[in-house]
Amino acid sequence: MIKIWKGVNFLIVIFLILICLLGTFYKHISFGLGLGDIIFGYIPLYFITITHIYLTIILRKKGTKTFILLSSIFLTLTLFICLKATLWRGPQYRWNGNIFYIPCGSKINIRNQNINKTVLVEMCTGDYISEFTAEWDGKFMKIVDGNLNLPKKIK
């Protein structure tokens, strides 16, 4: 029985470490608070993870009840963190189905002759800044100089 609870506790620690590493080194984990993500999201996440690792190391020789308590407390906190990063996100980046990460999705309306559709494309800030010169022929713009950066999904 102790091996099962140690295993559950170990999985929770690994999951918390994975969330910390992904949020720190891969992509930003959004708690929906903008700059407040650091204070109200990342600092508690790191504190919970470090505390869990510390208590797991200190109490590794204790009995089953200790690991049941550790697993219960930190599983609850981990679920709270996951909910705060998804369904319970704050007002700046409300949840739209993307787990953990701020979506860079933008709805683009494409209207051109017979085409009239809305496409969701990934357009993170600054990715598609374009400098070009164009001439208007009454119906379309013809690029004369420069480049128009577009997401591949639109092309």
Side-chain angles (χ1 to χ4, degrees):
M1 187 76 158
I2 185 94
K3 287 186 179 185
I4 293 171
W5 285 105
K6 280 187 175 182
V8 168
N9 191 55
F10 181 72
L11 288 175
I12 296 168
V13 169
I14 293 300
F15 185 69
L16 283 170
I17 291 171
L18 182 67
I19 291 173
C20 287
L21 291 175
L22 285 174
T24 304
F25 298 111
Y26 181 60
K27 285 188 175 182
H28 174 71
I29 294 175
S30 176
F31 295 95
L33 302 171
L35 292 175
D37 280 352
I38 295 169
I39 297 169
F40 300 110
Y42 280 105
I43 291 175
L45 174 64
Y46 295 144
F47 179 75
I48 289 167
T49 303
I50 291 168
T51 303
H52 192 182
I53 292 169
Y54 176 75
L55 289 175
T56 300
I57 291 170
I58 296 298
L59 302 173
R60 70 181 177 272
K61 302 287 185 192
K62 298 291 181 180
T64 307
K65 288 182 182 179
T66 304
F67 279 97
I68 291 172
L69 184 64
L70 273 178
S71 297
S72 300
I73 291 170
F74 287 101
L75 180 61
T76 303
L77 291 171
T78 303
L79 289 174
F80 178 75
I81 288 168
C82 291
L83 283 171
K84 189 64 185 135
T86 54
L87 293 172
W88 296 347
R89 272 192 202 153
Q92 285 196 336
Y93 301 107
R94 296 218 177 268
W95 190 60
N96 68 350
N98 292 353
I99 298 176
F100 293 126
Y101 302 114
I102 294 176
C104 293
S106 297
K107 288 184 179 179
I108 303 294
N109 293 321
I110 300 173
R111 287 186 296 260
N112 188 359
Q113 291 181 334
N114 298 331
I115 300 171
N116 189 8
K117 63 181 178 178
T118 301
V119 181
L120 184 65
V121 294
E122 187 174 320
M123 292 183 61
C124 293
T125 308
D127 287 350
Y128 300 103
I129 294 175
S130 303
E131 291 187 21
F132 62 92
T133 306
E135 293 178 351
W136 177 253
D137 67 2
K139 196 170 188 180
F140 298 104
M141 286 178 54
K142 182 178 179 184
I143 296 178
V144 177
D145 184 35
N147 210 4
L148 178 61
N149 298 323
L150 294 172
K152 291 178 183 176
K153 194 170 186 178
I154 291 180
K155 290 181 182 179

